[in-house]
């Protein structure tokens, strides 16, 4: 069995994401059929999906919600981290076999990733990390880039006779969440103060990447589409909340970032 990714072994990590959906059934089907999550439970109007028995995504039904506004603060993407490069290759084979459209594919030096968008406009990243021992550093900042992904090389890592994608395997997690914000510097200050996160990298003044325990990033925050955005409209679909898991707390808490994005914290290890 694969090991738990490094991203989940840090003092604070991402546990789950909640989405508010105009059509919860359709959205849940997409995350099952395309992303590879399995349905774990239904409670009221919420459908919980995950990898094996690990809950990762709650889809909350709200048929009256207005569509998400990509220029507002909210979700840029939820990033599902697979345990191995071979698992990413299996997902690529699944995408090819099922004509699944993707928005992009990138080599970020620390990771290899593919991007897509769900039926309600929520961004998704599916990725695998390179060994954190092999990451390059510029002082205390991680070396990341956006280069062309060598898809054939990733697929070549899939062992012969074990090529079938059977859904997200055990120890798949949400490695990071990337948020749309009005001012990345305000997001940086908030995550420093509230979670003790370190700044790992910046892309100019428009994006910042923050983490706990030396991971490349548990939280990304950018203003590429949302520069100057004010507080979120709670009547819109899209991101409902982000849940962080922390070794440093004993009680569950809920707080809001400067744009009204709900950030929950739960105690314990992954």
């Amino acid at each position: 069995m694969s090991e738990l990714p490094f991203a989940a072994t840090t003092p604070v990590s991402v546990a789950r994401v909640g989405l508010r959906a105009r059509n919860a059934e359709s959205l849940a089907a997409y995350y099952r059929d395309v992303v590879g999550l399995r349905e774990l439970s239904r409670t009221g109007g919420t459908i919980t999906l995950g990898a094996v028995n690990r809950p990762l995504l709650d889809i909350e039904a709200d048929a009256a919600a207005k569509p998400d506004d990509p220029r507002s603060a909210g979700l840029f993407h939820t990033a599902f981290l697979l345990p191995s490069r071979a698992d990413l290759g299996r997902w690529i084979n699944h995408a090819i076999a099922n004509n699944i459209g993707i928005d992009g594919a990138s080599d970020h030096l620390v990771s290899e990733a593919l991007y897509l968008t769900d039926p309600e406009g929520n961004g998704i990243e599916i990725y695998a990390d390179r060994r954190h021992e092999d990451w390059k550093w510029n002082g205390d900042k991680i070396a990341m880039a956006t280069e062309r992904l060598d898809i054939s090389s990733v697929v070549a890592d899939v062992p012969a006779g074990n090529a079938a994608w059977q859904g997200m395997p055990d120890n798949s997690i949400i490695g990071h969440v990337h948020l749309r914000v009005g001012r990345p510097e305000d997001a940086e200050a908030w995550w420093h103060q509230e979670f003790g996160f370190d700044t790992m990298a910046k892309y100019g003044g428009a994006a910042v990447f923050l983490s706990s325990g030396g991971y490349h990033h548990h939280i990304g925050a950018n203003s590429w589409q949302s520069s100057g955005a004010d507080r979120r409209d709670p009547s819109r679909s899209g991101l409902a909340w982000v849940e962080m898991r922390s070794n440093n707390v004993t009680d569950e808490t809920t707080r809001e970032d400067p744009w009204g994005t709900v950030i929950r914290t739960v105690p314990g290890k992954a």
Side-chain angles (χ1 to χ4, degrees):
M1 187 174 69
S2 61
E3 294 182 357
L4 195 64
F6 172 63
T9 68
T10 55
V12 183
S13 59
V14 183
R16 287 192 297 173
V17 166
L19 297 178
R20 183 176 298 108
R22 289 155 53 85
N23 187 332
E25 292 293 344
S26 173
L27 204 60
Y30 182 89
Y31 281 90
R32 288 194 306 266
D33 299 341
V34 173
V35 177
L37 300 180
R38 67 173 63 178
E39 184 173 320
L40 301 180
S41 65
R42 293 186 179 224
T43 305
T46 299
I47 303 170
T48 299
L49 303 106
V52 187
N53 295 314
R54 182 187 300 273
L56 298 177
L57 184 69
D58 281 9
I59 298 177
E60 303 173 357
D62 186 355
K66 296 182 292 188
D68 189 27
D69 178 1
R71 297 165 299 179
S72 69
L75 181 68
F76 190 68
H77 62 237
T78 302
F80 296 94
L81 174 56
L82 299 173
S84 74
R85 194 174 195 240
D87 292 320
L88 185 62
R90 292 185 186 95
W91 187 86
I92 291 171
N93 286 335
H94 157 70
I96 293 169
N98 292 279
N99 296 312
I100 294 168
I102 64 169
D103 300 332
S106 298
D107 184 335
H108 294 301
L109 307 183
V110 293
S111 62
E112 296 171 295
L114 295 101
Y115 298 90
L116 51 162
T117 304
D118 77 23
E120 298 202 4
N122 302 295
I124 298 168
E125 177 179 342
I126 297 176
Y127 77 115
D129 277 332
R130 289 193 167 93
R131 295 193 322 153
H132 70 277
E133 296 89 348
D134 296 331
W135 298 347
K136 306 300 182 186
W137 297 80
N138 298 314
D140 62 348
K141 299 297 185 287
I142 194 79
M144 295 196 296
T146 299
E147 300 179 351
R148 178 179 175 274
L149 179 64
D150 187 342
I151 288 178
S152 60
S153 174
V154 178
V155 170
D157 255 28
V158 178
N162 187 16
W165 172 252
Q166 298 179 347
M168 286 212 167
D170 192 26
N171 287 334
S172 298
I173 63 169
I174 296 177
H176 67 269
V177 175
H178 200 145
L179 301 171
R180 304 186 312 248
V181 301
R183 283 170 45 91
E185 55 267 46
D186 292 344
E188 181 181 21
W190 191 85
W191 286 93
H192 283 182
Q193 177 179 333
E194 297 295 330
F195 285 89
F197 275 15
D198 299 312
T199 299
M200 305 304 291
K202 292 184 178 182
Y203 285 3
V208 62
F209 301 88
L210 305 124
S211 81
S212 168
Y215 188 53
H216 55 73
H217 68 296
H218 290 105
I219 294 292
N222 78 68
S223 59
W224 294 324
Q225 297 171 287
S226 55
S227 181
D230 293 323
R231 287 180 66 85
R232 300 181 58 216
D233 179 352
S235 67
R236 291 190 181 275
S237 64
L239 184 63
W241 43 265
V242 177
E243 183 178 276
M244 309 298 293
R245 183 183 290 106
S246 174
N247 298 347
N248 305 322
V249 301
T250 56
D251 298 308
E252 296 185 11
T253 61
T254 299
R255 67 198 94 175
E256 293 184 354
D257 76 2
W259 298 273
T261 298
V262 174
I263 309 296
R264 301 176 177 175
T265 308
V266 297
K269 297 185 178 181

